[in-house]
Every structure is written in C-alpha cells, then in structure tokens.
Amino acid sequence: MLVDYFRDYRDCADAYSETQKFEIYDEMQSHIDALKALGVSLRSATRKVQVKWGLEQDSKPMPASVLYVVAFPLGKEPEQFATPKSAGIRL
C-alpha cells in the first residue's frame, strides 16, 4: 500500500500546493507507523545515476537520483546497505 502511495505521489506531486503536501506527508507517515506496529522498519538510500531516454545512439544521458526504500525486521535494520550500480529501468 505504501509503495502505491509513493508512486501516486511521485506521479502528481507538482499538482499539490505546499499546504496540501502536509496532508500527504501525514498520510505517508501513518502508513509508515502502521508498518512499525507490525514489526517492520524502513531504511532508505540514494544513488546518483545517468538516465538515457529512447533508443537513439546519440541521445545524451541525464543525471538523476534513485531512491531505494527497503524494509527490515524492526531492530535488525543495518545502518547502511548497498544499492545497485545500474538500474534496469525500461520505459
């Protein structure tokens, strides 16, 4: 449910006013709190990547940041974790 919520927010975040975003953040936090009550802890990491759009050979890569959110059993979460060096994202 949280993944779907993040995706929906990502797809239309620019349509929300700054005031509306507070409500979104509160709702996201309630989902995170529900996971914690179930014994699940979330950790995040980011990685800078180069994204190339399209299949043209001469298209230039664009810098982007990828956010990874990983669930761990509560109390067993690491301080750091490795992120993939490349992402097999196809659009």
Side-chain angles (χ1 to χ4, degrees), residues 24-50:
I24 302 292
Y25 301 152
D26 288 342
E27 196 166 342
M28 281 186 194
Q29 186 62 51
S30 71
H31 290 301
I32 293 168
D33 293 341
L35 285 172
K36 188 173 182 180
L38 294 171
V40 177
S41 178
L42 300 177
R43 291 293 183 259
S44 64
T46 58
R47 179 179 282 277
K48 294 192 182 298
V49 296
Q50 295 287 320

Side-chain angles (χ1 to χ4, degrees), residues 37 41 55 65 69 74:
S41 178
L55 300 174
S65 292
V69 178
L74 193 61

